[in-house]
Amino acid sequence: MNRREFLETSGKFAATAMFMGLGTSKIFGAANTSQMAKSIESVTLNNGIKMPILGFGTLYLDDELGISCVADAISLGYRLIDTATIYGNEEAVGGGIKRSGIDRKELFVTSKVWVDDSGYEKTKKAFQTSLDKLGTDYLDLYLIHRPRGDVHGSWKAMEELYKNGLIRAIGVSNFTAEQINDLTDNFSVKPAVNQIETHAFFQQPDNLEFLNKHNIQHEAWSPLAEGRNGYFTNETLAKIGKKYGKSNAQVALRWHYQRGIVAIPRSSQKAHRIENLNIFDFELDESNMHTIAALDLNKTQFPEWE
Ligand SMILES: NC(=O)c1ccc[n+]([C@@H]2O[C@H](COP(=O)([O-])OP(=O)(O)OC[C@H]3O[C@@H](n4cnc5c(N)ncnc54)[C@H](OP(=O)(O)O)[C@@H]3O)[C@@H](O)[C@H]2O)c1
């Protein structure tokens, strides 16, 4: 199933249920969580490679905490692991991957070049440093973290690394439509992904439409808004969740999924990591989707990062 087909299908809720293997995750013990890896649907990026639609974020998960959370996430069934140079935890993420014992080829590992390393030479060097810290010889996805500095120089370096087979897909993060158009106007490889802040309070419908139109995968950072603005106690989400026996976090993650958006929730707690995977045995109906759409405040919940 390619990305476009997925988006068409995910609007039809009955069909969605079919390929999510309903019921497999109702009882969520360790024994059946490893089966989740098989049931996490993938999207197909614009260069043909597959990316899990649900993954694990690692911001603030450093040192031993990072190692143990990543290893446990993998054992539970997460296959997409998101990190970045600026998180300072690539070694911990690499340690978690190693501890998990999983075959590297089963994972989808993302990292990002930070603004201090923008430009051709610095990006090449930063990429190698990321590989070394992660203990891998390739990345599945490498992103320009923010549209600052010498973006063209960075993209040129990333295109080369991509063409040389060291990165399976290249993309951007926190880019506007105009900034993406600038890249596609000037380079031969277009971004496969744009990772942007997206959650119920900042839904980004225009960006979603633009990205879908240009066959660029929308990926949500802070898909749970880090719990800000009362996300986990929001009454609207709670009322919907009650109908299905699901938490606010699960309703929110299911909502991302039904919009065709890749989400990468982070959790330092095993119970939450399990809960966040357990979103494939229910469906939000059209009226639920509209109700959640009305929660949009259309503004960032992270003004300090602007
Ligand atoms: N590209 C960018 O500029 C950018 C920016 C920000 C983030 N990111 C990426 O996106 C990932 C996710 O974003 P994020 O880490 O900022 O925030 P998030 O995933 O939206 O929220 C994480 C917070 O939610 C809590 N949580 C998780 N699951 C929960 C559940 N089921 N019930 C209750 N609480 C729950 C976690 O607490 P516990 O630990 O207690 O579970 C944690 O405090 C990051 O880790 C990072 O990889 C990228």
Side-chain angles (χ1 to χ4, degrees):
M1 175 176 293
N2 67 30
R3 176 171 153 65
R4 203 165 293 284
E5 284 163 350
F6 170 80
L7 288 169
E8 283 162 8
T9 316
S10 62
K12 299 170 192 156
F13 302 119
T16 309
M18 190 179 71
F19 61 73
M20 292 319 300
L22 280 189
T24 54
S25 55
K26 272 200 174 131
I27 304 158
F28 227 88
N32 67 4
T33 50
S34 61
Q35 292 171 2
M36 289 306 298
K38 292 196 186 86
S39 60
I40 296 178
E41 187 65 24
S42 289
V43 292
T44 303
L45 302 180
N46 59 22
N47 64 351
I49 77 154
K50 290 191 184 307
M51 176 180 193
I53 196 157
L54 181 65
F56 188 63
T58 67
L59 180 64
Y60 308 132
L61 301 179
D62 307 324
D63 306 320
E64 177 53 32
L65 176 70
I67 296 173
S68 61
C69 287
V70 168
D72 182 68
I74 293 169
S75 79
L76 292 172
Y78 290 91
R79 291 293 176 266
L80 158 57
I81 311 291
D82 183 87
T83 183
T85 299
I86 193 67
Y87 302 167
N89 68 353
E90 289 172 306
E91 270 164 338
V93 169
I97 292 170
K98 195 168 172 204
R99 188 178 289 177
S100 77
I102 197 166
D103 184 343
R104 169 69 182 87
K105 287 198 278 303
E106 284 194 37
L107 291 180
F108 189 102
V109 181
T110 303
S111 194
K112 316 180 190 87
V113 58
W114 185 239
V115 292
D116 294 348
D117 293 319
S118 82
Y120 180 80
E121 292 297 342
K122 282 186 176 176
T123 294
K124 282 212 156 168
K125 205 164 156 225
F127 173 74
Q128 188 56 50
T129 304
S130 288
L131 288 189
D132 294 345
K133 288 188 170 170
L134 284 160
T136 183
D137 54 7
Y138 71 96
L139 283 183
D140 296 278
L141 180 64
Y142 197 44
L143 305 176
I144 297 183
H145 204 143
R146 290 196 170 266
R148 305 223 184 99
D150 179 8
V151 167
H152 280 203
S154 290
W155 196 254
K156 184 167 180 258
M158 288 163 66
E159 269 196 349
E160 278 182 26
L161 294 163
Y162 169 69
K163 286 175 181 168
N164 289 335
L166 294 166
I167 312 173
R168 296 179 67 228
I170 55 176
V172 295
S173 179
N174 302 300
F175 274 48
T176 62
E178 291 71 27
Q179 287 160 339
I180 288 178
N181 284 336
D182 172 66
L183 278 187
T184 48
D185 287 349
N186 287 287
F187 292 90
S188 61
V189 181
K190 91 171 172 185
V193 170
N194 189 16
Q195 186 185 108
I196 52 178
E197 179 187 349
T198 313
H199 44 72
F201 301 136
F202 193 29
Q203 303 192 6
Q204 307 264 23
D206 295 344
N207 270 319
L208 178 60
E209 194 184 331
F210 169 84
L211 294 169
N212 284 344
K213 188 169 158 211
H214 294 275
N215 201 14
I216 297 169
Q217 178 61 46
H218 186 146
E219 182 177 19
W221 62 253
S222 296
L224 303 173
E226 283 188 356
R228 293 184 186 198
N229 199 28
Y231 214 80
F232 299 128
T233 51
N234 180 276
E235 282 182 12
T236 305
L237 295 176
K239 200 167 159 206
I240 293 172
K242 203 168 168 207
K243 244 175 49 181
Y244 304 103
K246 295 291 177 183
S247 68
N248 283 18
Q250 289 170 317
V251 170
L253 293 171
R254 179 73 200 188
W255 168 78
H256 284 295
Y257 164 72
Q258 289 187 198
R259 298 176 90 206
I261 293 176
V262 173
I264 43 170
R266 175 239 325 168
S267 178
S268 60
Q269 299 187 50
K270 189 183 189 83
H272 287 166
R273 286 194 287 275
I274 292 172
E275 188 179 314
N276 296 345
L277 275 179
N278 196 1
I279 63 162
F280 299 120
D281 58 352
F282 75 113
E283 285 171 33
L284 300 170
D285 63 25
E286 224 160 318
S287 104
N288 299 150
M289 295 298 279
H290 282 130
T291 305
I292 297 171
L295 292 177
D296 196 5
L297 302 172
N298 192 26
K299 69 170 196 236
T300 179
Q301 295 299 303
F302 298 86
E304 73 275 24
W305 291 353
E306 287 292 284

